[in-house]
Amino acid sequence: MKSLKQPIDAVLAVTYNCNARCVMCNIWQDKPRLDKQLRAEGYANLPPSLKYINVSGGEPFLRDDLPEIISVLYKRCPNSRAIISTNGFLPDRICNMMREIMLIDPEIGIGLSLDGIGHMHDRIRGIRGAYDKVMQSFDKLKTLGVRNIRFGFTATKDNVDHFGRVYDLANNAGVQFSCAVAQDSSHYFKTKNNVTVERNVLKKELAYVVAGELGSFSPKRWVRAFFAQGLYDFSSGNGRPLNCRAGDEFFFMDPYGDIYPCNVLDRVMGNIENAGFLELWGSQAAKAARGSVQKCHSKCWMICTARAAIKQHPLKTGWWILNQKAQTHFGVPDKKQSGKGQ
């Protein structure tokens, strides 16, 4: 057990309570067991080895004790960087909580889900006025002094042609951009049917994003280009460009303290209220879950599990970046060619 590698990356779903009606996620259809949610002090059982923490949901800002949870996380994992993923539907509540949270960590990140411009975002999120609420939250967070903000785009068959538009909006607003393709999970997203995206449109949109990221002067953005290209490989049925590190360097925890290898594979490794984390991480259930990771057919590609894999393979990632930047024919596609004019 002493030689077992400790995780550095985690997604923590602090609640399944949700005020959205997203087309690619059915969490909102679930009846959350609010009385069974892990209390703030329960997060002190997490491993101090964590370096990257995504506080997610449901909608995390629906928890009244979110600032207390953040405080416990930083005390337990002092070397970690955290980001809170939110749908941005509660501008005033979000900013009121962030005032308190920023006293704990002024550099904490906020990820605002943005799946299209205007009515397209409303359609994907199933809420009238959703886009305006997100932009209100963005404006308020900027005024509050939050420096680490990103827009997170999830591509579906309905909004894939808005990929580049949201990317441009993020660049013009001076914030980071993260992306994903809608994927399934029976225990997290509560979805079981494969979500297909029109490949030719996705390819054009991703080419535009990849070119933009590679054309920057930021190595961090070059790595994001590699990740974005991996999204097309996954969507085309070619699987992951790198081996999965789920259940090894990464784990997902649900609101009730159950630990899973990742967001997709429905194999419980243990519960942090029933055992110390080291005991849980080295248990037979955890070992069996890791065996399932090796046999997993999902071959998903999400930043939560991809980040550890990319760090594990810097040479392969770096070679791809150098190869792409060296190609003289590689340039930023015309916006109409990227699908943005369609």
Side-chain angles (χ1 to χ4, degrees), residues 1 45-46 76 271-282:
M1 187 177 298
N45 295 329
L46 289 168
R76 180 60 173 169
N271 187 287
I272 63 170
E273 287 196 303
N274 298 335
F277 191 85
L278 280 178
E279 180 184 350
L280 180 160
W281 203 238

Side-chain angles (χ1 to χ4, degrees), residues 245-272:
R245 306 292 295 174
D248 182 3
E249 296 188 7
F250 170 85
F251 68 85
F252 166 77
M253 187 174 79
D254 74 12
Y256 316 112
D258 282 335
I259 302 287
Y260 297 80
C262 66
N263 311 27
V264 172
L265 191 58
D266 190 2
R267 289 296 301 269
V268 177
M269 304 173 79
N271 187 287
I272 63 170

Side-chain angles (χ1 to χ4, degrees), residues 179-198:
C179 55
V181 172
Q183 298 175 45
D184 289 329
S185 167
S186 60
H187 69 281
Y188 183 33
F189 307 128
K190 315 293 184 181
T191 57
K192 295 183 179 179
N193 298 315
N194 290 328
V195 179
T196 58
V197 178
E198 211 289 310

Side-chain angles (χ1 to χ4, degrees), residues 251-322:
F251 68 85
F252 166 77
M253 187 174 79
D254 74 12
Y256 316 112
D258 282 335
I259 302 287
Y260 297 80
C262 66
N263 311 27
V264 172
L265 191 58
D266 190 2
R267 289 296 301 269
V268 177
M269 304 173 79
N271 187 287
I272 63 170
E273 287 196 303
N274 298 335
F277 191 85
L278 280 178
E279 180 184 350
L280 180 160
W281 203 238
S283 68
Q284 289 300 317
K287 293 177 182 178
R290 291 188 190 98
S292 296
V293 171
Q294 300 304 314
K295 302 174 184 177
C296 181
H297 298 293
S298 296
K299 304 298 182 183
C300 63
W301 186 244
M302 301 184 205
I303 191 59
C304 51
T305 51
R307 179 167 40 226
I310 290 171
K311 288 181 178 293
Q312 191 76 13
H313 297 87
L315 292 180
K316 184 173 182 178
T317 304
W319 174 250
W320 180 89
I321 292 170
L322 289 173

Side-chain angles (χ1 to χ4, degrees), residues 20-75:
R21 299 293 183 269
C22 304
V23 300
M24 67 290 198
C25 174
N26 293 328
I27 287 178
W28 58 273
Q29 296 181 6
D30 195 32
K31 292 183 179 180
R33 296 171 287 151
L34 301 182
D35 59 323
K36 300 296 184 181
Q37 289 181 158
L38 190 66
R39 292 171 295 184
E41 57 267 28
Y43 290 85
N45 295 329
L46 289 168
S49 57
L50 291 178
K51 295 181 180 179
Y52 310 99
I53 300 175
N54 186 335
V55 178
S56 186
E59 172 49 49
F61 283 98
L62 289 176
R63 281 200 66 154
D64 293 335
D65 60 348
L66 183 61
E68 186 179 352
I69 291 174
I70 300 298
S71 178
V72 172
L73 287 176
Y74 277 107
K75 289 177 182 177

Side-chain angles (χ1 to χ4, degrees), residues 160-204:
V160 62
D161 61 332
H162 277 237
F163 212 129
R165 303 182 197 187
V166 177
Y167 175 72
D168 281 345
L169 178 62
N171 284 334
N172 292 335
V175 301
Q176 301 177 61
F177 176 80
S178 62
C179 55
V181 172
Q183 298 175 45
D184 289 329
S185 167
S186 60
H187 69 281
Y188 183 33
F189 307 128
K190 315 293 184 181
T191 57
K192 295 183 179 179
N193 298 315
N194 290 328
V195 179
T196 58
V197 178
E198 211 289 310
R199 292 180 187 174
N200 289 333
V201 178
L202 179 64
K203 184 177 182 179
K204 292 178 182 179

Side-chain angles (χ1 to χ4, degrees), residues 201-222:
V201 178
L202 179 64
K203 184 177 182 179
K204 292 178 182 179
E205 294 291 324
L206 282 171
Y208 180 75
V209 172
V210 167
E213 295 296 84
L214 288 174
S216 74
F217 296 100
S218 169
K220 185 176 181 179
R221 291 180 63 178
W222 301 344

